[in-house]
Amino acid sequence: MAKTPSNGRPGHQPDQSPSLGGGATAETIEVTLTGSARIHAGKAGLEGVLGTLALSPQCQTGDVVTVSANGASHDFAVLRRRWILDAAGNRLEITLDYPARGR
């Protein structure tokens, strides 16, 4: 299971700003799950909710995404941001992990 950044340090270099994706991806955000997040989502019945999740390009590594469903809240961590460039265009992939650590 992957670990989220510690000490409040983002995933980019200190002298660099993160790319927020405004306009560069035409607002196409793809959400993927780590293995542990997928297992938890299956057990909690969250597949439908997570399948329609619309995250903003401003989500950064280390952010916590709380999904409320079936009377319970589930905290996922933004583990990774990845740009995917192909013939179909550009899109931003945001990977969620479970459990969210340090919360």
Side-chain angles (χ1 to χ4, degrees):
M1 195 172 333
K3 183 180 175 189
T4 57
S6 59
N7 300 328
R9 293 176 22 210
H12 58 277
Q13 298 298 319
D15 61 342
Q16 295 176 336
S17 296
S19 170
L20 297 180
T25 62
E27 300 304 319
T28 301
I29 309 289
E30 199 173 285
V31 177
T32 62
L33 303 174
T34 62
S36 61
R38 194 174 300 110
I39 290 168
H40 177 73
K43 289 179 181 177
L46 299 175
E47 296 95 340
V49 174
L50 291 173
T52 60
L53 194 62
L55 293 178
S56 165
Q58 282 81 15
C59 283
Q60 295 298 305
T61 303
D63 285 353
V64 175
V65 177
T66 301
V67 177
S68 296
N70 305 324
S73 293
H74 308 270
D75 290 340
F76 294 83
V78 175
L79 178 68
R80 176 175 43 250
R81 294 167 41 95
R82 177 174 77 144
W83 290 103
I84 301 172
L85 312 171
D86 58 21
N90 305 332
R91 63 189 182 279
L92 177 62
E93 177 186 85
I94 296 177
T95 303
L96 299 180
D97 191 24
Y98 183 89
R101 303 191 194 287
R103 186 158 203 284

